[in-house]
Amino acid sequence: MQKNEIARVTIEDIGVNGEGIGKVNGYTLFIKDAVIGDVVEAKVIKAKKNYGYARLMKILTPSPDRVEPRCPFARKCGGCQIQEMSYEKQLEFKNRKIRGNLERIAGFSPDLLDKVMEPIVGMEEPFYYRNKAQFPFGTDKEGNPITGFYAGRTHDIIANTDCALGVSVNQEILEIVLDFMKEYRIASYDEKSGNGLIRHVLIRYGFTTKEIMVCLVINGKKIPRGEELAERLKKIDGMTSITISSNMKNTNVIMGESYETLWGQGFITDYIGDVKYQISPLSFYQVNPVQTEKLYGLALDYAGLKGDETVWDLYCGIGTISLFLAQKAKQVYGVEIVPQAIEDAQNNARINGIENAKFYVGKAEEVLPEYYREYEKEHPGEAAHADVIVVDPPRKGCEESLLKTMVDMKPEKIVYVSCDSATLARDLKVLCGEGYQVERVRGVDQFPMTGHVETVVLLSKLKSTKSIEVEIKLDEMDLTQAESKATYAEIKEYVLKNTGLKVSQLYIAQVKRKHGIIERVNYNTGNGKAKIPQVPLEKEQAIEEALRHFKMI
Ligand code: SAH
């Protein structure tokens, strides 16, 4: 197909970001805002050899899963991607996305996934869920200040103070700020010229405490008549904190490096479960508190703590998961790269009277290996051990060196919380090749109306110190993949008949692995440390002969 060509397309699939996918004579088109089941007219905007991107022009026959979006700007706005899809279908799509990645990238079998995947956790009310919003300010054609959201992939502002994902008080606050700007002729910041004052308004709302924070991000040091603005804002019920953050740099970074309090205190308080958190304008804090509580509850449930465990929480942010776990563990260690977040974490531990959580600043992939090495130095012949390791990395997932140290610490359980199921799948493949097996997987929809989904996974260590236990585990392997052309029993029988040798399942698995037949996730490689008997040469050759016979190699 060519650019600007117009085609009639039936949408048959959904892409990773929720876009519709359809085919025209074998040529694949990705069409934003088209819903699976729609028949649409679309115009090609970018044509590659085998696939292209097209703009939705007209819906010829709407899909039964198409719904009227709650927000009139849903299509234009970059904030939501799939508001036109019924919520039920959104959940289905996200679940499929997780499953697809685990199958394709991690190489898990459909049978295994049927066994371990639990139904995705959705929201009862999938709107108005965000506790934080950052509104950019701009100027319309008449020269009036406006605020709203960026249109997808641009910095054009769509004027809208009533976002369907945010809390309703946002609108009240923004209208006060806009009126104030008009009254005193205070201009919005202009990215191109670098002129103007008001860049962004950050609003945070404590769902449990009903406390509100407003932080004005400005291209300057002061807001003229700032006290008067504060006077107006503080009349809003729940207003707790009004601050200014100065950002005079010409960058896309929203917040300045620090903030000053204009009125009230510099933070608000909120709860997740029973744990209290102080949140400043610069703190990272999960944006969907209702789902976060479910997510952490799940992580805690997967960790299965009894009270005497040592737990590591890597990528701990302000210690949210750490403090949740600390209530049920003997000792928790948190690691996080942002020093300010660790300060918050320590403060949060203190205000909750939690004394069994210790935090380290640094990269997880440096702090943990260093801890491991130091421990060995101080305790010769002994290795650092963890009972449970929780990781919650950013989208890029974990460094392989970190995964290695995690395995070396031989935790009984690893709980992996992920915001990108593709990198999750990549990392799980590594862990499952190192003596861990997947027990439970569950999606949590932290971001309804967008293509994002969070996943929690429980991995447990395969017993590997005694070969007999290894054999039991190998028995449990489901043999549904291509590797299973002949069963272990058939191979054993063949070898016995031909050579008179008795070979174990473990030995067969080792030979299969040598030939790259086994990509099985729950095959135990023994991680090089446990005493697993290795197949003797004679038996190896006999097994190879059998594999050849069954055309497996
Ligand atoms: N578990 C926390 C935060 C998860 S977000 C919570 O739920 O609130 C991921 C965190 O990882 C961020 O706080 C980010 O600053 C941090 N981070 C990013 N790269 C890191 C690294 N290499 N080592 C440690 N922390 C890192």
Side-chain angles (χ1 to χ4, degrees), residues 282 284 312-319 322 333-346 358-368 392-397 399 402:
L282 300 176
F284 172 91
W312 283 78
D313 176 22
L314 308 176
Y315 310 90
C316 69
I318 59 164
S322 323
Y333 298 102
V335 183
E336 159 65 42
I337 197 169
V338 177
Q340 166 78 34
I342 288 292
E343 266 174 45
D344 284 351
Q346 279 158 342
K358 189 173 171 189
F359 296 96
Y360 296 95
V361 181
K363 291 184 180 172
E365 62 272 23
E366 287 171 6
V367 172
L368 198 69
D392 183 8
R395 300 188 71 82
K396 69 176 186 306
E399 300 269 321
L402 173 65

Side-chain angles (χ1 to χ4, degrees), residues 131-137 147 170 173-174 177 197-205 211-221 223 229-230 233 239-247 254-263 265-268 279-283:
N131 60 9
K132 169 186 163 180
Q134 299 175 116
F135 293 87
F137 275 65
T147 184
N170 287 344
I173 293 166
L174 295 172
V177 177
L197 186 66
I198 311 290
R199 293 177 74 124
H200 272 86
V201 169
L202 160 77
I203 303 170
R204 286 185 133 146
Y205 176 72
E211 292 179 8
I212 300 166
M213 162 192 294
V214 176
C215 178
L216 299 127
V217 186
I218 58 170
N219 175 38
K221 296 269 180 236
I223 300 181
L229 176 59
L233 287 171
M239 188 58 66
T240 307
S241 165
I242 304 172
T243 54
I244 288 178
S245 180
S246 167
N247 178 2
I254 295 177
M255 303 299 296
E257 278 160 19
S258 60
Y259 62 90
E260 258 176 56
T261 307
L262 201 55
W263 177 82
Q265 56 191 38
F267 58 88
I268 59 167
I279 311 146
S280 85
L282 300 176
S283 305

